[in-house]
Amino acid sequence: MTMGKRCLAEFLGTFWLVLGGCGSAVLAAAYPQLGIGFAGVALAFGLTVVTMAYAVGHISGGHFNPAVTVGLWAGGRISAKDILPYVLSQVVGGIAAGAVLYAIASGKTGFDPTAGFASNGYAEHSPGGYSLLACMIAEFVLTAFFLIVIHGITDTRAPAGFAPLAIGLCLTLIHLISIPVTNTSVNPARSTGVALFQGSWAIGQLWMFWLVPLLGGIVGGLVYRYLAAPDSGRRDAGAFPSAPASTA
């Protein structure tokens, strides 16, 4: 599969993740009397990954997240030359989704993006008022475990065909844990996609939602690489088994 097609798949997957996950938070989470709440938002994020992983995971590997791409590189699944085009595609996809979400949300009278717009935050902008250190720990640990799950379920010794479900459920669990802490990032592209349209404090706090998930992703990849060595039977195509071998 050509790099152009793989990058388009990453763009589309990340677009869907941000539109579906952040859209559920902005448009449906607190809808009067019928809002889906934290559990609904968490499930929405998980469903975006499940659906797009099955749809385009066989094309690009189904990363949809710079932390996943970097973590898969650390785990020996992809080449360093694939990192930049994948990450750029993911970030552009996230920003495009943020723009579409902004266009939809602004169609309602009284819409105010500075109220949050599903942005990630720490300290005074943490949904539950958690400190910067607490938010950093949460993002680091949860991203690291996300990468351990991704590596493990895509190992050749894992049951075939269930990777998108396991990864989507893992992302749902991560959101159930950490929405009150940081509004859950574990994905720099997701954070960037809405922070650019929030119009206030979100850009100033965006550094943490790049630095910490990337570090967590690298550690998660290295941990699984150690656990699986020397006979891991690694798949050589990113997150999903049927992605083209050229991504290795």
Side-chain angles (χ1 to χ4, degrees), residues 22 32-33 41 51 75 79 99 134 162 165 197 206 213 245:
C22 296
Q33 300 178 352
V41 173
T51 52
S79 170
F162 290 96
L165 288 175
F197 297 93
L206 188 58

Side-chain angles (χ1 to χ4, degrees), residues 21-222:
C22 296
S24 70
V26 172
L27 304 175
Y31 193 82
Q33 300 178 352
L34 296 174
I36 61 175
F38 285 174
V41 173
L43 182 60
F45 272 100
L47 289 173
T48 63
V49 170
V50 171
T51 52
M52 288 308 290
Y54 276 120
V56 301
H58 57 286
I59 296 172
S60 67
H63 302 186
F64 317 146
N65 180 342
V68 170
T69 296
V70 172
L72 287 169
W73 164 77
R77 300 290 183 88
I78 66 168
S79 170
K81 66 181 175 61
D82 292 337
I83 294 176
L84 183 58
Y86 267 48
V87 170
L88 287 176
S89 300
Q90 293 155 1
V91 172
V92 173
I95 293 171
V100 170
L101 178 57
Y102 184 90
I104 295 171
S106 61
K108 180 179 179 180
T109 302
F111 168 66
D112 179 13
T114 64
F117 198 57
S119 295
N120 301 115
Y122 57 80
E124 68 272 22
H125 299 298
S126 158
Y130 289 84
S131 69
L132 172 59
L133 179 59
C135 292
M136 293 178 77
I137 292 171
E139 289 290 325
F140 179 85
V141 172
L142 293 173
T143 309
F145 271 86
F146 192 34
L147 266 295
I148 291 171
V149 170
I150 289 171
H151 279 85
I153 196 60
T154 56
D155 193 294
T156 55
R157 296 168 294 183
F162 290 96
L165 288 175
I167 294 169
L169 287 172
C170 182
L171 189 61
T172 299
L173 174 60
I174 286 170
H175 279 78
L176 289 172
I177 295 168
S178 61
I179 287 177
V181 182
T182 62
N183 216 20
T184 310
S185 173
V186 303
N187 184 340
R190 168 261 188 269
S191 299
T192 303
V194 290
L196 293 179
F197 297 93
Q198 191 271 336
S200 181
W201 51 264
I203 290 292
Q205 295 198 345
L206 188 58
W207 67 270
M208 197 276 272
F209 299 103
W210 271 90
L211 176 63
V212 177
L214 289 178
L215 291 175
I218 290 171
V219 169
L222 292 174

Side-chain angles (χ1 to χ4, degrees), residues 57 154 161 163 235 237-243:
T154 56
R235 288 179 176 143
F240 293 94
S242 52

